Amino acid sequence: MTSTLLAAAVIGVCCSLSFSVHQTYDTYTRTIASQMQDHLMVSARSVSQNLSLYLSEQMTDINILCRTPGFMTQFRSYYADQDINGLKEYILSYMLTQESDVAR
């Protein structure tokens, strides 16, 4: 009878320890998963902001080029005749202007 009570007590302690270990492991994995999600969200937001800034700069450049007198005429000429020389001059001129602005 004593051995039966001792066996029951050992089984009870083992069950409670295994339950505690399971709960601790479950909490740990949830915490790690949550931290990974937060880190990925921060990374995604950062990439999104950088991409948005890059595209905004590109759109500004395109808008400036489109408002440059003669650029749209050369652009249409490029699509009609595949003559890229005039278009290249406008783009090169704009790029050189941008580089000199950055150098200042």
Side-chain angles (χ1 to χ4, degrees), residues 32-43:
I32 294 298
S34 175
Q35 288 175 350
M36 288 177 138
Q37 284 177 337
D38 291 344
H39 178 69
L40 287 173
M41 187 59 84
V42 167
S43 296

Side-chain angles (χ1 to χ4, degrees), residues 51-85:
L51 186 58
S52 178
L53 286 172
Y54 174 77
L55 291 176
S56 176
E57 290 173 5
Q58 297 304 311
M59 287 302 297
T60 301
D61 290 345
I62 290 170
N63 286 332
I64 290 170
L65 272 172
C66 287
R67 288 187 303 228
T68 302
F71 177 79
M72 290 307 292
T73 305
Q74 287 298 323
F75 195 71
R76 288 184 195 99
S77 171
Y78 166 70
Y79 273 105
D81 306 330
Q82 301 298 313
D83 179 25
I84 199 163
N85 292 327

